[in-house]
């Protein structure tokens, strides 16, 4: 894995860990950016981790570009091939799959889809070699997902499925983006899942909706009190299918300000996960169930 450094204007360094997204590349970038944050380097104003890369903004009047580059290369050398682990959170996110709102939306935009005769879920199930929609939902919700970056719009998490590469669900984006996507849609494009934090344009396939707000400037709910954006890189998400009654009850709790998410601290070890992903995923989910 050869890391490539590129200057962007006078205030940015872009660092590409790898050309392909992988958990190794993600963890390497996360470890470097966390160490950079820990060092509190004078002149560094923003650190933005991404899927297999990161970007640093700096004040050239405080730290010279070459000096910051030297710091980043020192962190890279210091970390080396050390065991990569991370103190993080596992979060259970309820999802109403095959809901009426994304269904109404996707039907309005069928001319922009690869298969106008199928719904997004039917299309996703077929091209992934699964028998039907229920089998696809089981595959989508059956294993955890890593939040690899947050952005594009405020609070939107990009998520990478925690299974072997050959088992990862993959679905292309729409041929042309929609001009509308319901708020809190659970979507998928390429190998990445996401949750649309706000209503707006989008091109990812739509599978369902969650009742759980993930971006709220008013910070009304307990899990948003510390920051209006809930997700952060390194979070682990476990989707939980729910029915319409449970969804409606959750929406009522959101409106009353009493809704909460199940969030538990975990320590993720990349080497242990790599040895046996399925067993390791089960151990992560057990943390959620250990109330």
């Amino acid at each position: 894995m050869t890391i490539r450094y590129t200057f962007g204007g006078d205030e940015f360094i872009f660092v590409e860990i790898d050309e392909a997204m992988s958990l190794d590349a993600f963890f390497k970038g996360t470890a470097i950016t966390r160490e950079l944050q820990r060092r509190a380097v004078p002149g560094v104003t923003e650190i933005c981790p991404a899927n297999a890369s990161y970007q640093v903004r700096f004040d050239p009047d405080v730290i010279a570009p070459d000096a910051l580059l030297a710091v980043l290369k020192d962190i890279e050398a210091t970390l080396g091939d050390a065991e990569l682990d991370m103190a993080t959170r596992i979060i259970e996110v309820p999802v109403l799959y095959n809901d009426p709102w994304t269904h109404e939306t996707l039907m309005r935009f069928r001319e922009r889809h690869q298969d106008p005769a199928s719904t997004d879920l039917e299309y996703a199930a077929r091209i992934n070699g699964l028998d039907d929609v229920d089998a696809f939902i089981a595959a989508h919700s059956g294993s955890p997902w890593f939040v690899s970056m947050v952005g594009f719009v405020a609070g939107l998490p990009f998520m990478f499925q925690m299974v072997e590469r050959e088992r990862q669900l993959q679905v292309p984006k729409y041929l042309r983006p929609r001009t509308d996507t319901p708020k809190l849609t659970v979507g998928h494009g390429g190998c990445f899942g996401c949750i649309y934090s706000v209503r707006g344009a989008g091109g990812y396939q739509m599978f369902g909706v969650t009742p759980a707000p993930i971006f709220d400037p008013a910070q009304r709910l307990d899990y948003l009190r510390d920051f209006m954006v809930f997700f952060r890189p390194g979070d682990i998400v476990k989707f939980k299918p729910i029915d319409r009654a449970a969804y409606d009850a959750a929406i009522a709790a959101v409106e009353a300000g009493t809704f909460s998410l199940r969030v538990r601290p975990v320590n993720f070890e990349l080497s242990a996960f790599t040895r046996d992903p399925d067993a390791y995923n089960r151990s992560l989910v057990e943390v959620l169930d250990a109330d």
Side-chain angles (χ1 to χ4, degrees):
M1 188 180 297
T2 301
I3 297 181
R4 184 168 63 183
Y5 297 84
T6 307
F7 287 106
D10 298 328
E11 299 181 355
F12 297 92
I13 295 180
F14 175 71
V15 185
E16 186 179 54
I17 306 297
D18 200 348
E19 291 183 354
M21 172 61 198
S22 67
L23 284 178
D24 295 78
F26 165 71
F27 265 87
K28 187 78 170 183
T30 300
I32 291 171
T33 53
R34 288 192 174 193
E35 174 61 16
L36 179 62
Q37 184 179 36
R38 188 194 68 79
R39 293 190 185 189
V41 178
V44 171
T45 58
E46 292 182 69
I47 304 170
C48 182
N51 298 320
S53 62
Y54 67 92
Q55 183 167 271
V56 180
R57 187 175 188 180
F58 62 96
D59 183 346
D61 292 329
V62 177
I63 184 170
D66 288 341
L68 178 56
L69 180 60
V71 170
L72 298 179
K73 289 186 174 182
D74 176 67
I75 293 174
E76 176 193 347
T78 300
L79 291 174
D81 295 321
E83 289 290 313
L84 298 178
D85 58 18
M86 177 190 301
T88 187
R89 311 180 291 180
I90 185 167
I91 302 148
E92 184 177 80
V93 176
V95 179
L96 176 62
Y97 288 94
N98 214 3
D99 66 284
W101 306 284
T102 60
H103 180 80
E104 184 277 331
T105 302
L106 67 87
M107 294 305 293
R108 280 193 282 125
F109 291 95
R110 290 331 280 166
E111 81 282 358
R112 306 186 184 203
H113 196 272
Q114 290 86 351
D115 185 359
S118 297
T119 67
D120 291 10
L121 275 167
E122 291 168 344
Y123 173 69
R126 187 174 70 253
I127 67 169
N128 280 278
L130 297 167
D131 290 339
D132 52 28
V133 166
D134 288 341
F136 182 85
I137 292 172
H140 188 270
S141 61
S143 60
W145 298 68
F146 253 116
V147 176
S148 56
M149 63 179 286
V150 179
F152 183 69
V153 297
L156 185 150
F158 289 85
M159 294 172 286
F160 189 71
Q161 194 176 22
M162 294 169 58
V163 294
E164 299 91 336
R165 185 178 292 272
E166 59 271 15
R167 291 172 54 200
Q168 288 171 356
L169 299 172
Q170 298 195 43
V171 189
K173 295 187 288 186
Y174 275 42
L175 297 174
R176 290 185 293 128
R178 301 176 302 274
T179 56
D180 190 23
T181 306
K183 179 182 178 180
L184 299 177
T185 289
V186 175
H188 197 102
C191 66
F192 288 104
C194 80
I195 301 173
Y196 284 80
S197 53
V198 296
R199 183 179 181 180
Y204 278 22
Q205 308 285 334
M206 297 180 290
F207 300 152
V209 291
T210 176
I214 59 173
F215 168 67
D216 180 16
Q219 298 176 257
R220 295 176 56 244
L221 301 175
D222 60 0
Y223 61 89
L224 288 162
R225 295 278 158 73
D226 292 336
F227 193 47
M228 67 179 72
V229 170
F230 176 61
F231 286 113
R232 51 184 184 243
D235 280 342
I236 299 172
V237 173
K238 180 63 172 64
F239 293 119
K240 177 184 179 181
I242 59 174
D243 59 19
R244 179 61 188 269
Y247 176 85
D248 289 344
I251 289 295
V254 168
E255 293 173 352
T258 59
F259 179 83
S260 190
L261 285 171
R262 297 178 71 191
V263 182
R264 302 290 184 270
V266 292
N267 191 69
F268 182 85
E269 299 178 11
L270 181 60
S271 60
F273 170 81
T274 303
R275 284 193 298 272
D276 191 340
D278 288 338
Y280 198 81
N281 284 342
R282 286 194 296 270
S283 71
L284 290 173
V285 174
E286 287 172 359
V287 174
L288 280 173
D289 297 332
D291 290 330

